[in-house]
Amino acid sequence: MTLHLDHITLTYPDGPTEVTAVDDVSLTLHPGQFTALVGESGSGKSSLLAVAAGLQEPTSGQVRVDGPRGLIFQQANLLGALTAREQLLVTDHIRGRKPRRDRADELLERVGLAGSGHRRMNQLSGGQRQRVNIARALMGSPAVLLADEPTSALDTRLAREVVDLLADITRETQAVTLLVTHDRSLLDSCDRVVEMRDGRVREVRAVS
Ligand SMILES: Nc1ncnc2c1ncn2[C@@H]1O[C@H](COP(=O)(O)OP(=O)(O)OP(=O)(O)O)[C@@H](O)[C@H]1O
């Protein structure tokens, strides 16, 4: 499963004119490859990720993806009143599937939260909540994982732990993973860094 972004352009209306957030970006992302997307504020990272995630139609160009996509954002989209396990089971509910409690507990264990399934979000730390977020994205067995600043609410140590977990999961599941981050200290956990500037890809480099 490979994710192809072919000549993606995304413009937003901006009063009488328009702003080009993504300007003819082509990228191919491979299974098991953990790619970081970096660049200054406003360079188009979140816009490109939203297109890759299927949340935003590109103005032109094409996303080619063959498999489920899992999305990980900042923790704001977790439902505060639910337990960790329920956060995961909601995804089954949304898809009209039978709730897979065993699968939910397995994934909570995988992200280091064994035994915490009954705890409510407000009883978990920021790092633990982000682990729930990751486990929730994994409920759909995604071939592509898209994460937009998942560590921005975390301190350095927790941010590193969460990114290392994403790196391990990428290798284990052979997912295609794209991580938007502004934190350059996290880049050595990645395989590849794509740097954007003014909506374009400025540089693609391998992390040694
Ligand atoms: N909904 C929108 N309507 C109009 N312009 C937008 C919209 N969303 C983003 N933009 C503009 O598109 C450009 C790219 O924004 P984007 O959020 O993708 O950048 P980013 O690199 O993710 O920035 P940051 O690191 O600050 O999150 C910016 O000029 C921004 O102002």
Side-chain angles (χ1 to χ4, degrees), residues 27 49 71 83 94-95 117 139 144 147 169 185 188 207:
L27 278 176
L49 192 99
L71 313 183
T83 65
I94 290 168
R95 293 189 175 97
M139 280 294 277
V144 176
I169 286 170
S185 74
D188 54 9
V207 178

Side-chain angles (χ1 to χ4, degrees), residues 12-14 19-21 39-48 149 180:
Y12 296 108
D14 184 24
V19 46
T20 302
E40 283 174 14
S41 179
S43 59
K45 306 179 295 294
S46 294
S47 298
L48 184 63
E149 299 276 12
V180 169

Side-chain angles (χ1 to χ4, degrees), residues 3 6 22 29 36 43 49 59 77 94 111 133 173 179 188 202:
L3 171 67
D6 294 333
V22 180
L29 306 170
S43 59
L49 192 99
T59 310
N77 59 347
I94 290 168
V111 300
N133 219 357
T173 66
L179 165 78
D188 54 9
R202 185 177 158 261

